[in-house]
Amino acid sequence: MKNLVTLKSFSGGIALTLDDRAEFEELLTEIGTKFSESANFFGSAKMAVSFHGRELTEEEEKRIVDCIHDQI
């Protein structure tokens, strides 16, 4: 399976690189899985999130942030 979402840390945050050909719902599922698996690492830390590789609407960005928030 191709890695649809890549996480990389930067000073003060996380950069998400998203596959531009994948369905948004598929990306959202993978984001939820990745953050769920690393919830202990992130804990209650506050961080910035940046998005790369795909144009997102404001609604899609909000859904991703909500998904991340629900997992950590």
Side-chain angles (χ1 to χ4, degrees), residues 4-5 18-20 22-32 54 56:
L4 302 177
V5 177
L18 309 172
D19 186 306
D20 64 343
E23 294 291 326
F24 179 76
E25 294 301 323
E26 192 175 14
L27 292 173
L28 202 57
T29 298
E30 186 162 339
I31 291 167
R54 177 187 184 109
L56 297 168

Side-chain angles (χ1 to χ4, degrees), residues 4-63:
L4 302 177
V5 177
T6 303
L7 304 178
K8 290 194 177 188
S9 64
F10 63 89
S11 180
I14 298 290
L16 277 74
T17 302
L18 309 172
D19 186 306
D20 64 343
R21 295 171 305 232
E23 294 291 326
F24 179 76
E25 294 301 323
E26 192 175 14
L27 292 173
L28 202 57
T29 298
E30 186 162 339
I31 291 167
T33 299
K34 286 185 179 278
F35 277 89
S36 175
E37 290 172 351
S38 56
N40 289 335
F41 175 77
F42 293 113
S44 61
K46 294 194 185 293
M47 68 187 106
V49 178
S50 66
F51 306 107
H52 305 276
R54 177 187 184 109
E55 290 289 322
L56 297 168
T57 65
E58 285 185 37
E59 177 63 25
E60 288 172 332
E61 286 184 16
K62 182 181 180 331
R63 289 185 64 198

